[in-house]
Amino acid sequence: MLYAILCYNEEDVIQAWSKEEDDATMERLFAVTNRLTSESKLGPVARLLPTTAATTLRKNGKEKFVLDGPFAETKEQFLGFYVVDVETLNDAIAISHELADANPGTGSYEIRPLAVYVPDGRTK
């Protein structure tokens, strides 16, 4: 089953990392992703650019607004995601633990099962 692991953290903290701290974190994350790739358990991975580069389409009934930034009201921001193909939710939780260990400081990982829609309308 496919699971998305959504990565949240304080964007200001991440952007304050030195190049060495960021490189070290990425090296630890690459170790996790390389293992998952070798086990054919890893799908797309993305690191999102800062929220200052984001645009949000907000819907209020039939009215739609395009706004600069996500205007999140939480302290943490959505920073990136992994897609993993594993047998159980516990497998996805175990991978989330590895990712949390690879990242310094605080943060959270939301795990959601995925339904994949293909062009002919089937779900996977």
Side-chain angles (χ1 to χ4, degrees):
M1 176 158 210
L2 293 174
Y3 289 91
I5 300 173
L6 310 176
C7 307
Y8 293 86
N9 206 329
E10 295 178 49
E11 193 172 79
D12 292 342
V13 171
I14 303 302
Q15 290 181 335
W17 288 347
S18 67
K19 181 174 179 352
E20 292 77 23
E21 290 171 315
D22 191 66
D23 288 348
T25 299
M26 294 309 296
E27 189 172 318
R28 290 190 299 272
L29 290 171
F30 286 143
V32 175
T33 59
N34 288 340
R35 182 187 61 75
L36 294 172
T37 298
S38 71
E39 296 172 0
S40 299
K41 292 181 177 177
L42 188 64
V45 176
R47 185 178 191 179
L48 299 178
L49 294 178
T51 53
T52 54
T55 300
T56 300
L57 185 138
R58 194 172 295 272
K59 182 178 174 187
N60 183 5
K62 291 190 174 193
E63 291 186 67
K64 295 177 187 164
F65 304 93
V66 176
L67 307 167
D68 292 338
F71 293 105
E73 294 184 14
T74 62
K75 190 173 181 182
E76 296 179 340
Q77 289 80 35
F78 177 45
L79 299 182
F81 64 90
Y82 293 80
V83 174
V84 295
D85 187 4
V86 293
E87 295 289 322
T88 67
L89 174 61
N90 284 338
D91 294 336
I93 291 170
I95 291 168
S96 298
H97 279 277
E98 288 184 67
L99 297 172
D101 290 342
N103 273 298
T106 60
S108 63
Y109 299 84
E110 181 179 335
I111 302 156
R112 289 194 200 180
L114 291 177
V116 177
Y117 297 91
V118 292
D120 67 1
R122 290 177 293 137
T123 57
K124 208 171 177 184

